[in-house]
Amino acid sequence: MARANEEAAELLRELADLLSITGGDAFKIRAYEKAARAVEGFPDDISGLGLPGLRKIPTVGEAIAKKLLDFNQTGTIRQVEDLRAQIPAGVRALTEIPTLGPKRAYQLYDELGISSVAELSEAIGEERLKGLKGFGPKSVENLRHGIELLAQTRDRAPVDVASELADDVVAAISALPGVERCQYTGSLRRRRETIGDVDVLAASDDPHPIMEAFKALPFVTEIIGSGDKKTSVRTSRGLQVDLRVVPPESWGAALQYFTGSQAHNIRTREIAVRAGLKLSEYGLFDAESGALVVSETEDEVYRRLGLPWIPPPLREDTGEIEAAQKDELPRLVQVEDLRGDLHTHTDLTDGVASLEEMVAAAAARGLEYYAVTDHAPDLVMQRMTDEKMLAQRERIRELQKEYPDLTILHGTELNIGPDGSVDWDADFLAGFDVCVASVHSHFTQGREEVTRRLITACENPHVNVIGHPTARSLGRRAPVDADWDEVFRAAARTGTAMEVNSFPDRLDLPADLARRALRLGVRFAIDTDAHSVGNMRNIRFAVGTAQRAWITPDDVINTWPLPRLREFLAKKG
């Protein structure tokens, strides 16, 4: 994605938030939020577009196009700057707390003078929110938890932001003379869901010019530390990047060492010590003589330790060493294994691309089947009706003739109500090929209520997949609280798949819960939940999450041939 698109989308989102704080029109707020998704998913760089070109972005009308033109000309949106001046910065900082919306943040400022996260934390500790309208004991406890979540994620970046930066750095370094190999390492290579620093490794016999070129990259804003072995910089994208350069003959050992995790590396070093060896970033050495044993590839380092190569997403010391010693490592699911996508949206509801555009993109991905799952009517803001959904079904039948190699499935994303019920009656639901059901409201229900809510949805004979099951939004909303083992047992019993959602701020189910679900016999759907053509690129992040959960291709229903998938879906009906 072009950097300009990303920055403009963030400004539009901020504009929506600022209007929420100041009591702006709800329709305009939703329009800005939808336009932000459209700009983010737009395939071309908007920075060179004039007004006519900007008007071609889906959902971008004349007024928003003028704001984007303002961004192209000035690097900002003047209305955002004006609203920033009206609203204390502390109030905007408060809105970063998960569970605290713009209006309630302004209420805290207006009624209690709270203008920072630290002040809010202090006020909660002193019980100064008692008696404040809308802030009962449960709300205050949610706020306390939200502050903890914010502290955990404040210095970390979403995986998509880190990946884009890492890809740019690797491309730039790889193009330099004398660079034999270059790859990102660390938590990003292990497919963690958020990233602290981006770690990049290069192999060269002449590191000095590489470090100089690295420091001169256009997005570098500060040199933190510089040397021929390691250089650290801060970037305009808010992330630190550490570049290490090693001799080509040390590549494999260095790649293993700097990929980590620390716990995994401790285990591999212990194995080396017991074998009379010493393992470092420069190679595997004989402990007594200091002679180099192996170092050039990761595979030979692991083999010399008596292990097969261990996929990076598993390197967390959660059983991968023991499985490797028994030759029981799983064959992890890969992007290439996915035959279909079972959760996507069009501009009929909150997507920003037409049905025709989304189907064409699915065909271009080489998928064998593709489900359109626009929102059902209980999500009132999307204004879905029976007639609209049936008309879409007819259009899908027409499109199917144009795409003989792609089976287009007509589905829907249902809303799991507080009691576990879903939109539409059984007769209407029977007409869909696939039904995804998700929690979109009442996120703060108690553990027993949420557990029963999700189990009831699993027991619905028309629900095939539970979408983004924890309903979390990384850094913004905590996951719902449930007895997940009970939910997973119900999913396994009823033949309901759990989704691993590709959106970088969801990645839901998270890897730890997905692994628990796997042990309890649950099947999975790895979906994009794409609201634009650009969102389809996110699939690699969900696959990375699934790999961290030890999920194999056979565990994922959308790796299956269509007849087998249809059989699975039919068992629910």
Side-chain angles (χ1 to χ4, degrees), residues 4-5 7-19 24-25 27-33 35-36 39 46-47 49-55 57 59-83:
N5 297 35
E7 291 175 353
E10 281 303 311
L11 283 170
L12 289 174
R13 286 195 187 92
E14 184 177 356
L15 180 53
D17 285 344
L18 293 171
L19 287 172
D25 179 72
F27 177 79
K28 282 187 177 180
I29 292 167
R30 286 199 299 273
Y32 288 128
E33 291 171 341
V39 170
I46 70 164
S47 62
L49 299 180
L51 202 58
L54 293 168
R55 284 292 308 274
I57 302 172
T59 78
V60 171
E62 183 79 14
I64 295 178
K66 286 180 178 178
K67 288 177 171 57
L68 293 173
L69 185 63
D70 187 20
F71 167 78
N72 282 346
Q73 294 170 344
T74 68
T76 188
I77 295 176
R78 274 170 285 188
Q79 188 180 0
V80 172
E81 299 295 330
D82 292 342
L83 287 169

Side-chain angles (χ1 to χ4, degrees), residues 185-192 258-262 312-316 544 548:
T185 62
S187 57
L188 184 57
R189 189 174 180 228
R190 300 198 313 276
R191 299 301 186 194
R192 299 286 302 215
F258 291 117
T259 295
S261 66
Q262 183 180 5
L314 299 187
R315 299 181 196 177
E316 300 287 353
R548 289 173 55 76

Side-chain angles (χ1 to χ4, degrees), residues 386-416:
D386 296 12
E387 293 73 22
K388 286 182 180 180
M389 192 58 88
L390 292 173
Q392 184 184 66
R393 186 172 299 165
E394 285 304 311
R395 179 58 186 140
I396 285 174
R397 287 172 180 158
E398 295 170 7
L399 275 176
Q400 184 65 78
K401 300 171 187 174
E402 301 177 29
Y403 294 92
D405 296 328
L406 173 69
T407 299
I408 309 171
L409 303 174
H410 192 218
T412 183
E413 184 179 12
L414 303 166
N415 308 284
I416 303 175

Side-chain angles (χ1 to χ4, degrees), residues 329-358:
L329 287 174
R331 205 285 265 179
L332 300 178
V333 65
Q334 307 292 323
V335 171
E336 296 75 20
D337 293 317
L338 300 178
R339 296 172 184 257
D341 193 343
L342 300 179
H343 184 180
T344 66
H345 297 273
T346 75
D347 59 3
L348 183 62
T349 54
D350 60 345
V352 297
S354 67
L355 172 65
E356 291 77 8
E357 289 169 324
M358 294 298 281

Side-chain angles (χ1 to χ4, degrees), residues 161-171 184 188 198-200 237:
V161 174
S163 292
E164 183 181 8
L165 176 59
D167 289 342
D168 288 347
V169 173
V170 168
Y184 57 76
L188 184 57
V198 171
D199 298 300
V200 176
R237 305 183 195 180

